[in-house]
Amino acid sequence: QVQLMESGGGLVQSGGSLRLSCAASGSIFSINRMGWYRQAPGKERELVAGITSSGRINYADSVKGRFTISRDNAKNTVYLQMNSLKPEDTAVYYCNTAVALYYGSDYENYWGQGTQVTVSS
């Protein structure tokens, strides 16, 4: 099994910054894609940013230039640096990873428990 431990959420004023972390642990052979999603009340879950094992990155248009995703492959950890936060960034942020449990296995999708980010105006 794979566990994802998220940290770094909280309450911040508009214009402030937060850094989210997500560490994957357990029976892991390889991790392909890692990413962050968010879900605001009454809205669907949406992709915020993703990064592949080779370092290819994509961002939602709404966060480009403000958020930066990175990963430490040695620690199986993905980060999301969020700057210039806006009230509309308020949501529960979820870590998502694609993990192969052993050599030759398919990659399986795992989700973190979510961490609340609240941006006050």
Side-chain angles (χ1 to χ4, degrees):
Q1 287 295 330
V2 174
Q3 297 79 41
L4 300 181
M5 181 62 68
E6 300 163 343
S7 61
L11 173 64
V12 64
Q13 289 187 336
S14 181
S17 298
L18 285 173
R19 188 187 193 216
L20 305 183
S21 299
C22 173
S25 62
S27 178
I28 298 172
F29 173 75
S30 174
I31 297 179
N32 187 358
R33 193 173 182 280
M34 305 184 82
W36 291 94
Y37 288 71
R38 68 186 180 186
Q39 187 166 19
K43 295 188 177 181
E44 294 186 354
R45 190 172 298 188
E46 64 175 359
L47 174 68
V48 176
I51 181 169
T52 67
S53 57
S54 61
R56 189 170 61 200
I57 291 173
N58 64 300
Y59 295 103
D61 288 343
S62 59
V63 306
K64 284 180 180 177
R66 301 188 297 121
F67 291 10
T68 302
I69 190 170
S70 61
R71 63 189 282 174
D72 184 332
N73 290 328
K75 296 181 179 179
N76 290 337
T77 299
V78 62
Y79 306 96
L80 186 68
Q81 178 66 43
M82 305 185 293
N83 298 329
S84 302
L85 282 161
K86 305 175 181 180
E88 51 263 44
D89 294 317
T90 295
V92 178
Y93 283 70
Y94 296 91
C95 175
N96 174 263
T97 67
V99 177
L101 301 181
Y102 51 88
Y103 177 78
S105 68
D106 292 332
Y107 284 95
E108 299 179 18
N109 207 29
Y110 291 88
W111 291 93
Q113 79 283 0
T115 184
Q116 177 70 46
V117 171
T118 302
V119 184
S120 63
S121 57

